[in-house]
Amino acid sequence: MFYKSTRNSDVNVTSAQAIAQGISEDGGLFVPSEIPAISLDDIKALGEKSYAERALFIFSKYLTDYTEAEIRYCVEGAYNTKNFDTENIAELAHLFDGTYMLELWHGPTCAFKDMALQILPYLLTTAIKKINLDKKVVILVATSGDTGKAALEGFKDVPGTEILVFYPDNGVSAMQKKQMTTQEGENVGVCAIKGNFDDAQNGVKAIFTNKEIGEKLSENGMMFSSANSINWGRLAPQIIYYVSSYAQLVKDGEIEAGEKINIVVPTGNFGNILAGYYAKHMGVPVNKLICASNANNVLTDFLTTGIYDRNRPFHATISPSMDILISSNLERLLYHLSGGNDAQIREWFGALAASGKYEVSDDVKTMLRDEFYAGCCDDTQTKATIKEYYDKYSYTCDTHTAVAVKVYEDYVKATGDKTKTVIASTASPYKFSGSVLSALGNTADCDEFGLVEELAKVSNIPVPASLAALKDKEIRFTKVIDKTEMKDFVFNSLYVK
């Protein structure tokens, strides 16, 4: 298995090179040269295995330059009860008849990003050894809230690495900010920027693809890599939990092998739902991929019309991890749907950079409609959904999961489709306690940790130990900069002159 760049199909690198590098030098994203197939017999066999063993099987299809021993080292180091509070790693909660919550937030930072970012340091450090790199790897991260903390926790004190995280100053929840600004570790740095997530993401990409900056780093014995989902090593682990969920449903007798399911994903950067697309095209029987957006509904409009237009108001919502107007992973999907047409990708994403807008071809529009359904909801609807599901099912959703639930309800009303459905639940409600309590009609006036205590009373969900421990942690990182100062912050942090 080799990896191509979405902007230059002549690029041909191993998975180790793709993971170590993070992004292609031409600015494109690495994609597998083909999507490997798995059979229903494979899926049924996976039902009898642990999550780590399921991961080993899927990674062996994509990381063919890694030995079995290397992959086993990675999966066993990441997917265990030391890192996750459940033996199943990815829990399936039976919400109501034929509808299941895929709880992806049982890791150390209480968000779905842990599913990938607990293993990425293993994959990356193994890759560095495989390709004989003798440079320190500098991980640059732009975050809308969850990726930053998950990456910081994953790479904390990992030898041979430094990690620098940028987040929008007023674009994350109080708990997310507390998680990042109190981060421990000798190799970590955190900085807020004046702007939104897209500003942070664009700044990181600009630094990545600036040859002068890269050369300066190289002179100082360092190189960049990424922990955002632009890195294939971040995206590949997300495929596993969709394969695993289907295998588990078959094992539990909830579905028959071969029976199709729907997958609903709340997403901003399109990585989590793209992982569902890969799982489907590997052989997991998926009927429809349902893309849920908040008020920043650029993906809803795109999947409906085929026109991507980021020229619109940016909304700061109660589901901040989805407050994104430039969805990076669409580039991978469109590369596949266009038949690997790198010239077309350069044209579309060149137009996005220049004018903030592009329109895909009619055949791609047809494929998008066949694969996806898209919907969105605003904060008022999100809160109403949290209250409805708490009252009906005694289930407490976070503000992102509730977006997915609302869009799924709209999908069923619009289509009448009764296919059994897995909804990706992407974060613990405790990461957004104030908004969840407000939705439930609780107007407690207290600080973030008082809100956590209030939510514990009404939700009957144990407070995650990692969040409770934040209360007395010292804040280490307070710097706020303009987005134009990101390069200087990187150089100053790394003592590069």
Side-chain angles (χ1 to χ4, degrees):
M1 176 71 75
F2 287 89
Y3 289 79
K4 298 179 178 296
S5 166
T6 52
R7 301 190 188 183
N8 182 0
S9 294
D10 291 335
V11 170
N12 214 39
V13 301
T14 64
S15 65
Q17 182 66 46
I19 291 170
Q21 196 171 324
I23 189 171
S24 181
E25 291 178 356
D26 50 52
L29 306 187
F30 290 115
V31 293
S33 54
E34 60 182 308
I35 299 176
I38 57 175
S39 68
L40 285 178
D41 286 341
D42 290 331
I43 292 171
K44 285 190 284 187
L46 290 176
E48 304 301 322
K49 297 181 182 295
S50 69
Y51 190 87
E53 290 171 322
R54 294 169 185 176
L56 172 62
F57 178 79
I58 299 303
F59 279 133
S60 71
K61 303 291 184 182
Y62 284 103
L63 312 181
T64 56
D65 53 323
Y66 284 62
T67 66
E68 180 180 338
E70 287 169 337
I71 299 174
R72 187 175 295 279
Y73 159 76
C74 293
V75 300
E76 290 180 353
Y79 300 129
N80 56 58
T81 52
K82 182 185 74 170
N83 296 331
F84 292 84
D85 64 16
T86 169
E87 286 188 9
N88 293 331
I89 309 300
E91 287 287 349
L92 275 170
H94 196 156
L95 191 59
F96 53 85
D97 187 37
T99 306
Y100 310 88
M101 284 290 195
L102 173 55
E103 294 180 349
L104 300 170
W105 39 264
H106 290 280
T109 76
C110 307
F112 82 100
K113 307 298 175 72
D114 290 324
M115 302 299 293
L117 284 162
Q118 280 301 294
I119 196 167
L120 180 59
Y122 290 93
L123 296 174
L124 179 61
T125 52
T126 301
I128 291 167
K129 291 175 185 174
K130 290 182 72 64
I131 60 178
N132 298 314
L133 276 177
D134 59 355
K135 289 183 169 62
K136 176 178 282 190
V137 177
V138 179
I139 311 294
L140 281 192
V141 178
T143 185
S144 53
D146 287 334
T147 290
K149 173 58 180 178
L152 288 162
E153 194 63 29
F155 281 95
K156 175 184 67 178
D157 293 328
V158 171
T161 69
E162 296 274 343
I163 177 166
L164 301 174
V165 170
F166 296 97
Y167 70 92
D169 188 33
N170 295 312
V172 299
S173 76
M175 186 63 79
Q176 288 172 317
K177 182 177 286 191
K178 183 82 170 181
Q179 283 184 303
M180 289 186 284
T181 57
T182 59
Q183 178 64 47
E184 298 171 345
E186 295 301 313
N187 65 334
V188 305
V190 178
C191 185
I193 67 160
K194 300 169 187 174
N196 57 39
F197 169 75
D198 290 327
D199 295 321
Q201 181 169 248
N202 289 339
V204 164
K205 282 186 176 178
I207 293 170
F208 259 115
T209 54
N210 185 306
K211 289 187 177 180
E212 182 182 336
I213 295 175
E215 288 169 359
K216 179 68 71 174
L217 238 66
S218 184
E219 291 170 9
N220 286 266
M222 292 179 272
M223 63 170 282
F224 285 129
S225 190
S226 172
N228 283 95
S229 58
I230 57 174
N231 190 322
W232 179 250
R234 244 295 299 279
L235 189 60
Q238 297 179 252
I239 300 169
I240 294 157
Y241 47 71
Y242 294 118
V243 179
S244 175
S245 296
Y246 191 92
Q248 192 66 43
L249 289 172
V250 171
K251 179 182 185 293
D252 293 344
E254 297 290 337
I255 59 175
E256 297 290 332
E259 182 180 349
K260 288 188 175 183
I261 63 169
N262 293 325
I263 295 174
V264 189
V265 186
T267 186
N269 219 13
F270 207 73
N272 200 1
I273 197 165
L274 180 62
Y277 171 88
Y278 281 119
K280 174 181 178 178
H281 287 270
M282 289 182 75
V284 176
V286 176
N287 172 52
K288 191 67 77 171
L289 294 160
I290 300 169
C291 179
S293 301
N294 61 18
N296 294 295
N297 61 350
V298 65
L299 283 171
T300 305
D301 289 347
F302 173 70
L303 293 172
T304 304
T305 67
I307 299 170
Y308 197 98
D309 188 355
R310 66 171 173 81
N311 301 306
R312 61 184 66 211
F314 178 89
H315 302 285
T317 74
I318 60 172
S319 46
S321 298
M322 299 160 65
D323 290 349
I324 296 170
L325 293 180
I326 301 177
S327 304
S328 291
N329 278 289
L330 265 183
E331 184 166 339
R332 283 188 168 108
L333 175 69
L334 294 178
Y335 182 83
H336 291 303
L337 295 185
S338 66
N341 188 337
D342 55 357
Q344 183 65 83
I345 296 300
R346 290 194 299 272
E347 179 184 327
W348 286 336
F349 286 86
L352 181 66
S355 66
K357 182 178 180 179
Y358 63 88
E359 180 173 3
V360 297
S361 58
D362 288 344
D363 57 337
V364 170
K365 289 177 186 178
T366 299
M367 287 185 276
L368 289 171
R369 285 192 293 268
D370 288 343
E371 297 275 0
F372 298 93
Y373 173 90
C376 58
C377 70
D378 61 20
D379 282 355
T380 299
Q381 294 167 310
T382 301
K383 286 187 173 183
T385 302
I386 292 171
K387 181 74 163 64
E388 176 190 355
Y389 276 67
Y390 179 83
D391 291 343
K392 273 189 181 180
Y393 308 111
S394 299
Y395 192 90
T396 308
C397 294
D398 88 291
T399 51
H400 302 74
T401 304
V403 170
V405 171
K406 175 64 171 73
V407 170
Y408 174 60
E409 285 186 340
D410 292 344
Y411 168 78
V412 172
K413 289 174 186 174
T415 64
D417 182 13
K418 300 298 184 182
T419 301
K420 291 177 181 176
T421 297
V422 171
I423 300 173
S425 178
T426 54
S428 165
Y430 285 109
K431 295 194 76 168
F432 310 93
S433 298
S435 295
V436 173
L437 282 169
S438 174
L440 298 179
N442 186 315
T443 56
D445 183 17
C446 47
D447 67 12
E448 184 65 20
F449 294 95
L451 295 173
V452 166
E453 292 172 6
E454 287 293 317
L455 186 56
K457 295 175 187 175
V458 299
S459 70
N460 293 319
I461 301 172
V463 179
S466 60
L467 296 186
L470 290 173
K471 183 175 182 179
D472 299 318
K473 274 196 172 183
E474 177 186 357
I475 293 175
R476 296 182 63 197
F477 303 104
T478 59
K479 197 170 186 64
V480 182
I481 63 172
D482 189 82
K483 61 187 179 182
T484 60
E485 300 174 295
M486 290 172 65
K487 184 190 83 170
D488 292 336
F489 177 83
V490 170
F491 279 4
N492 290 336
S493 299
L494 299 174
Y495 303 104
V496 172
K497 301 299 181 185

